[in-house]
Amino acid sequence: MNVYDFDKTIYHNDCTVDFYFYELRKHPFLMRYLPIQIFGWLGYFLKMHDKTKMKNYFYKYLKGIKNIDEEVTEFWNKHIKLIHKWYFNQQKEDDMVISASAFFMVKPACERLGIKNVIASPVDQYQGEVTGKNCHGAQKAIVFKEAGYDK
């Protein structure tokens, strides 16, 4: 089993950032969430809260998207081309992706690529809330073991 990060590894950019700006271009009214996002970013950079809490503030904009599942599908229709070509040359049936990006964002891309094993940050895409720990850094190894893949 080969295990990959998604953003800036298999996918050229950060899909969380790309999706955010994709949505802002389509729906400028989402800017109304910017004050709470800035508060979250500031708190994180001032070490008042961790990355998971910062992302909880950031994802509040998702509440303003009416058809989030359709938006994610449309996003990947346009952005799947940003998967690095090298990945297709070494892809294996049992590959795994572990990502700090939201599961609801990473899973559809992985399905298109034929990647069945996906671990990513749990985010409720309808409420804009992080529902568990952000799957970042050392947390990736913890989640990998908790999922039973370390055997």
Side-chain angles (χ1 to χ4, degrees):
M1 171 184 286
N2 294 317
V3 180
Y4 298 95
D5 188 12
F6 188 75
D7 297 311
K8 298 181 181 174
T9 302
I10 291 176
Y11 180 70
H12 187 271
N13 300 324
D14 183 314
C15 69
T16 300
V17 173
D18 283 358
F19 183 72
Y20 178 66
F21 286 110
Y22 173 82
E23 288 301 313
L24 282 179
R25 281 189 296 277
K26 284 183 73 176
H27 310 288
F29 64 88
L30 293 173
M31 292 291 288
R32 71 182 188 262
Y33 293 96
L34 195 56
I36 191 104
Q37 292 171 319
I38 290 171
F39 178 77
W41 291 323
L42 238 120
Y44 175 70
F45 290 114
L46 294 174
K47 301 195 185 313
M48 293 169 48
H49 50 251
D50 64 11
K51 189 173 254 188
T52 299
K53 189 167 183 176
M54 180 268 295
K55 283 193 169 186
N56 211 36
Y57 287 110
F58 170 73
Y59 283 125
K60 292 299 178 201
Y61 83 97
L62 294 172
K63 290 171 38 172
I65 301 172
K66 289 184 181 175
N67 298 310
I68 185 71
D69 297 321
E70 289 177 26
E71 294 286 332
V72 170
T73 298
E74 289 175 18
F75 172 82
W76 284 119
N77 286 344
K78 295 179 179 180
H79 288 81
I80 200 73
K81 64 185 178 202
L82 294 177
I83 299 296
H84 286 290
K85 303 297 181 233
W86 62 260
Y87 175 69
F88 299 107
N89 295 329
Q90 64 190 45
Q91 185 174 11
K92 303 265 193 264
E93 188 176 317
D94 64 345
D95 281 353
M96 168 175 272
V97 163
I98 301 180
S99 178
S101 286
F103 185 82
F104 79 89
M105 281 299 304
V106 176
K107 180 68 172 170
C110 289
E111 286 174 348
R112 290 177 185 220
L113 298 172
I115 300 171
K116 298 175 191 111
N117 304 304
V118 181
I119 296 173
S121 296
V123 175
D124 181 326
Q125 70 262 36
Y126 308 107
Q127 295 301 312
E129 294 178 5
V130 179
T131 59
K133 289 192 177 178
N134 185 45
C135 191
H136 176 73
Q139 184 65 24
K140 287 182 179 183
I142 293 166
V143 174
F144 183 80
K145 288 178 184 175
E146 287 175 350
Y149 288 104
D150 67 334
K151 296 178 171 68

